[in-house]
Amino acid sequence: MASYFPIELISHTRRVCSLYKRALRNVESYAEDILSFRYNAVLMRARFDKNRDIKDMRIAVQLLQAGEAELFEKMHPQPKKFPHSPGGVAFERHHQPPDFVLDFWHPLEKAQYPKYFARREQRKKEYIEMWEKQHGKPKDEPSQH
C-alpha cells in the first residue's frame, strides 16, 4: 500500500521535472502515432522553457500549481502504463518467495544443490554470529503463556 503522506520536502525543481514527465506521459497517452507525439512533446517543452528563467518564487509556484491543475483537467481517461509498474498488466506477476522458504526444502531437494546450501548454511551462521556480537544473545525467559 502506498503512503500518501509526504515524508520529505520536495524541491521546486523536482516538482517541475515531475510535472513535465507526467505531462509528457499524458501527451503520449493521447498520441495516435509517434509523429503527433513528438510534435506535441516539442510544444510542451517550449511551454516549459518559456518560464524557465523566472526568478520570483511566488510566480513560479503559481505557474506550477496552474500546470498541475491543467494536467489534472486534461488527464487521459485510460492512461498508458508500463507492464511492470503499479497498475500495469504484469505488476507483481512474478512474486519472489522469501529466503526462509528454502529452509523447508526436503533433504533430497537440498542434495541436488550441495554447494549452494553449504554456502547458505555458512552465511546463516556468520549472520547469527554478527547479530549476537552486535545485539547480544537472546535471554531464555520463561514464557507467560
Side-chain angles (χ1 to χ4, degrees):
M1 184 171 165
S3 174
Y4 295 105
F5 296 111
I7 54 176
E8 66 181 37
L9 292 177
I10 300 172
S11 69
H12 179 78
T13 306
R14 260 183 68 191
R15 288 182 63 194
V16 170
C17 289
S18 172
L19 175 64
Y20 177 70
K21 187 172 182 177
R22 289 182 288 146
L24 277 185
R25 293 292 177 204
N26 193 43
V27 167
E28 183 183 21
S29 294
Y30 277 110
E32 298 168 359
D33 59 353
I34 190 70
L35 294 176
S36 65
F37 166 67
R38 286 302 305 149
Y39 176 75
N40 289 318
V42 168
L43 292 179
M44 180 70 62
R45 182 63 190 220
R47 287 182 64 189
F48 274 81
D49 284 342
K50 182 176 70 174
N51 298 315
R52 180 180 204 149
D53 296 324
I54 293 180
K55 302 293 182 199
D56 189 3
M57 283 306 293
R58 292 176 296 170
I59 297 173
V61 168
Q62 288 175 351
L63 287 170
L64 179 65
Q65 291 172 347
E68 288 176 345
E70 181 182 347
L71 177 64
F72 180 76
E73 291 171 2
K74 295 183 177 182
M75 262 327 255
H76 193 277
Q78 192 173 5
K80 291 181 181 177
K81 297 193 182 282
F82 293 105
H84 294 286
S85 298
V89 295
F91 181 63
E92 292 185 342
R93 181 177 290 176
H94 302 290
H95 178 68
Q96 185 70 26
D99 184 59
F100 72 86
V101 172
L102 296 174
D103 293 333
F104 297 106
W105 277 27
H106 191 273
L108 292 176
E109 292 175 315
K110 290 181 180 181
Q112 295 176 2
Y113 308 99
K115 291 180 183 177
Y116 173 80
F117 280 98
R119 185 181 305 141
R120 186 171 183 274
E121 290 300 321
Q122 178 187 0
R123 288 183 178 165
K124 281 172 53 177
K125 287 178 185 175
E126 291 172 0
Y127 181 79
I128 290 171
E129 289 172 4
M130 182 203 61
W131 175 269
E132 289 175 350
K133 181 180 174 185
Q134 193 172 22
H135 300 288
K137 290 189 176 188
K139 298 177 183 174
D140 292 332
E141 297 180 6
S143 177
Q144 298 291 329
H145 298 255

